[in-house]
Amino acid sequence: QVQLVESGGGLVQAGGSLRLSCAASGRTLSSYVMGWFRQAPGKEREFVASISRNGGNTYYADSVKGRFTISRDNAKNTVYLQMNSLIPEDTAFYYCAADRSFGVIGTTMDHYDYWGQGTQVTVSS
């Protein structure tokens, strides 16, 4: 079983940038497809981005495509989400997640087996 801890959230003005990190322990990160999700107040948790085990394939929600970049450093057991050109609509709790299965790289919550506790991102206008 893998434990996930997110960090890097905070308050930023619109147009600014943040980089989220997700540190894994307990199992090597390269065993998992990794994803980022977010949940805004009063809304359902939604997919943001995912990345294959070796980092060679990435997927993004349309709402963040061109602004966010997911990456991973398996040697450091860490996944990152670089967020640029932030807008108030990006305000949410951001969660990283790990998928132990093989096959399709998931873009829905039911693909993922392990979740972190999340980190708050607030974008002011």
Side-chain angles (χ1 to χ4, degrees):
Q1 184 169 339
V2 65
Q3 291 80 44
L4 304 172
V5 178
E6 301 94 335
S7 62
L11 174 64
V12 64
Q13 287 189 332
S17 299
L18 282 174
R19 188 176 80 156
L20 305 183
S21 299
C22 173
S25 61
R27 290 287 300 273
T28 179
L29 194 68
S30 59
S31 300
Y32 303 93
V33 168
M34 297 299 295
W36 284 96
F37 290 76
R38 67 186 182 185
Q39 187 167 18
K43 295 188 177 181
E44 293 186 352
R45 196 170 298 188
E46 65 177 5
F47 169 75
V48 175
S50 58
I51 187 167
S52 60
R53 284 175 171 78
N54 65 3
N57 293 291
T58 57
Y59 301 87
Y60 297 93
D62 287 343
S63 59
V64 307
K65 204 171 292 184
R67 300 188 298 121
F68 290 11
T69 303
I70 188 172
S71 62
R72 66 192 297 160
D73 186 337
N74 287 339
K76 295 183 177 179
N77 257 14
T78 304
V79 176
Y80 304 97
L81 185 69
Q82 178 67 44
M83 305 185 295
N84 298 329
S85 302
L86 284 161
I87 58 178
E89 290 76 14
D90 294 320
T91 295
F93 228 78
Y94 283 71
Y95 299 88
C96 71
D99 175 9
R100 62 186 175 185
S101 66
F102 290 85
V104 174
I105 296 176
T107 61
T108 56
M109 290 179 59
D110 57 0
H111 276 93
Y112 291 84
D113 304 291
Y114 306 105
W115 294 82
Q117 294 299 306
T119 185
Q120 176 70 45
V121 171
T122 303
V123 183
S124 64
S125 56

